[in-house]
Amino acid sequence: MVTPKFTTSANSFHAELKKRINNYFEEVGKSTTGNYDLFIKAVILMVAFVFVYTHLVFFTPAPVWGILESVLLGGLVAAIGFNVMHDGAHGSFSKYKWVNQLAAFSLNILGGNSFMWNMKHNVIHHAYTNVDGLDDDIDIQPWMRMSSTQKKYRLHKYQHLYFWLLYSLLYLFWIFMLDYQKYFKGKIGAMPLKNMSIGDHLVFWGFKVLHLFLFVGLPIYMVGFKYWAISFFIFTCVAGFVLSMVFQLAHTVEHTAFPLPDEKTNKLEDEWAVHQLKTTANFATNNKVVSWLVGGLNFQVEHHLFPKISHVHYPAISRIIKQACQEYGIPYIEYPKTRYAVASHVAFLKQMGRS
């Protein structure tokens, strides 16, 4: 397919932003990648994950503790995805390439596939955010309608009521269906996959088998099918819901745009950086606990504009970006609290289901 082009400008807003951000890092003398705070957090999350998994599988806690630990395991999966895998996949976790690759590789252990994620998220979503037909993140058809250009079905009238169930099932669908669907179709939505090397194929199948052993076969052998099924369902639903909500709050709320290219020129109205600002929202950026847990993805505006900068720097560069937006008259979408963003997302789903 022919992908759309962004509008170019001699007075580029993106160029001005990059100049200001580069000046900031030169002035403070810091690297744009992660720091010791991030590395310590990564160790805490990984050790906690191994500890909870080991206790659930090999020590069979009492049912109440088993349920609580399953919930915690789901939260840890999401936190590792936000804080370790996500920065690693963007090359911002560390200044060393092999460390970034190792961090990104955590996704393979957890059941996903880093090759598919790179294509879906880094290549497509970050380039064509909220562009219907390209951005796979807003393609949940026919179950949900995430853009006014998508076909509306009768069930969408109630999507603001049942969305939590679908979001909870995301992780299950991701690891057991969606990756395989992309693999065998050879494309993500309308975008063809780039050629996979022999190593890419081996990683895909090898780690899918390893995940089945670690999270299905071994636990069933150790604790029995019933105990495993309950625990596995709980932890995957918690992980799925948390992962879904954080990413949906960033793009599918009342004030974000869903641009389409001009039918004749195949050009999008704005330059790339302005497009990102119109299609992306922040939430709860003053809440340090939320920022710590979600790996700075509540600063989604900063992440989309500078994905190769680690999330530990987002609070600092957000002030620079806000100032530039004010000067250029460009919207900067932000919700002061998480609950406001959630309410806006629910209102958006209601609007898409009834308009």
Side-chain angles (χ1 to χ4, degrees):
M1 65 172 297
V2 179
T3 54
K5 304 294 183 182
F6 289 96
T7 298
T8 56
S9 171
N11 186 26
S12 171
F13 176 70
H14 192 203
E16 176 62 23
L17 268 185
K18 287 193 290 185
K19 184 178 75 174
R20 295 187 187 189
I21 297 300
N22 288 337
N23 288 342
Y24 163 77
F25 280 103
E26 287 179 7
E27 288 172 7
V28 297
K30 292 181 179 179
S31 168
T32 59
T33 54
N35 54 24
Y36 282 105
D37 290 338
L38 176 56
F39 304 149
I40 292 169
K41 177 165 60 169
V43 171
I44 291 171
L45 292 173
M46 300 295 280
V47 170
F49 175 83
V50 172
F51 176 82
V52 175
Y53 169 86
T54 302
H55 195 249
L56 275 170
V57 174
F58 296 101
F59 293 90
T60 318
V64 173
W65 284 109
I67 291 172
L68 292 174
E69 288 182 21
S70 298
V71 171
L72 178 57
L73 191 68
L76 287 168
V77 166
I80 290 170
F82 295 143
N83 290 279
V84 182
M85 183 281 291
H86 190 251
D87 269 26
H90 281 291
S92 64
F93 185 85
S94 167
K95 62 181 179 181
Y96 298 108
K97 184 177 180 180
W98 70 269
V99 176
N100 286 318
Q101 291 174 334
L102 189 63
F105 224 70
S106 61
L107 178 61
N108 297 303
I109 302 290
L110 298 175
N113 179 256
S114 52
F115 180 92
M116 298 299 171
W117 172 263
N118 180 64
M119 281 292 300
K120 170 186 166 64
H121 183 77
N122 295 9
V123 176
I124 301 173
H125 170 69
H126 269 267
Y128 303 106
T129 312
N130 279 10
V131 178
D132 186 29
L134 288 173
D135 188 357
D136 191 60
D137 282 9
I138 61 170
D139 184 10
I140 319 178
Q141 302 177 75
W143 312 109
M144 297 186 71
R145 185 173 186 247
M146 307 301 281
S147 168
S148 61
T149 54
Q150 294 176 351
K151 186 175 181 180
K152 188 166 79 71
Y153 296 97
R154 189 172 298 176
L155 80 162
H156 294 150
K157 185 178 180 180
Y158 308 101
Q159 66 179 8
H160 66 289
L161 300 175
Y162 64 73
F163 74 93
W164 62 271
L165 176 60
L166 288 182
Y167 289 1
S168 298
L169 296 175
L170 166 76
Y171 187 49
L172 274 170
F173 276 88
W174 181 1
I175 61 180
F176 289 132
M177 188 182 77
L178 298 178
D179 274 347
Y180 295 103
Q181 187 181 67
K182 294 175 177 62
Y183 181 88
F184 287 111
K185 284 187 174 182
K187 60 182 181 178
I188 297 175
M191 294 283 285
L193 288 175
K194 66 179 183 180
N195 292 331
M196 296 178 71
S197 67
I198 294 176
D200 293 327
H201 288 287
L202 291 175
V203 167
F204 183 92
W205 288 109
F207 279 89
K208 287 294 184 182
V209 171
L210 178 63
H211 176 265
L212 286 173
F213 171 75
L214 290 175
F215 291 91
V216 180
L218 182 60
I220 290 176
Y221 176 77
M222 296 300 298
V223 304
F225 180 82
K226 182 180 178 180
Y227 190 95
W228 163 81
I230 295 171
S231 179
F232 187 76
F233 184 73
I234 291 171
F235 113 74
T236 54
C237 283
V238 170
F241 184 76
V242 174
L243 288 165
S244 295
M245 283 303 297
V246 169
F247 284 107
Q248 293 296 357
L249 296 185
H251 302 292
T252 54
V253 287
E254 293 171 288
H255 301 95
T256 51
F258 293 80
L260 287 175
D262 183 271
E263 291 184 1
K264 293 181 179 179
T265 64
N266 198 37
K267 273 194 172 184
L268 289 156
E269 180 182 2
D270 298 302
E271 66 166 284
W272 178 84
V274 177
H275 175 94
Q276 297 305 318
L277 282 156
K278 288 184 177 180
T279 58
T280 309
N282 285 354
F283 66 93
T285 53
N286 290 324
N287 190 320
K288 292 184 179 180
V289 174
V290 170
S291 297
W292 195 92
L293 291 171
V294 305
L297 290 179
N298 51 334
F299 287 88
Q300 194 75 204
V301 169
E302 287 66 33
H303 171 61
H304 265 255
L305 289 171
F306 296 98
K308 291 191 178 296
I309 295 178
S310 173
H311 72 264
V312 298
H313 304 293
Y314 292 165
I317 69 172
S318 68
R319 294 187 286 271
I320 300 170
I321 294 170
K322 279 184 184 179
Q323 179 62 36
C325 287
Q326 288 177 357
E327 293 174 15
Y328 280 73
I330 297 169
Y332 183 97
I333 307 168
E334 185 169 29
Y335 296 91
K337 295 184 182 296
T338 303
R339 65 176 180 270
Y340 297 161
V342 172
S344 185
H345 178 60
V346 173
F348 167 82
L349 292 178
K350 193 173 183 178
Q351 178 186 350
M352 287 298 102
R354 296 185 177 183
S355 62

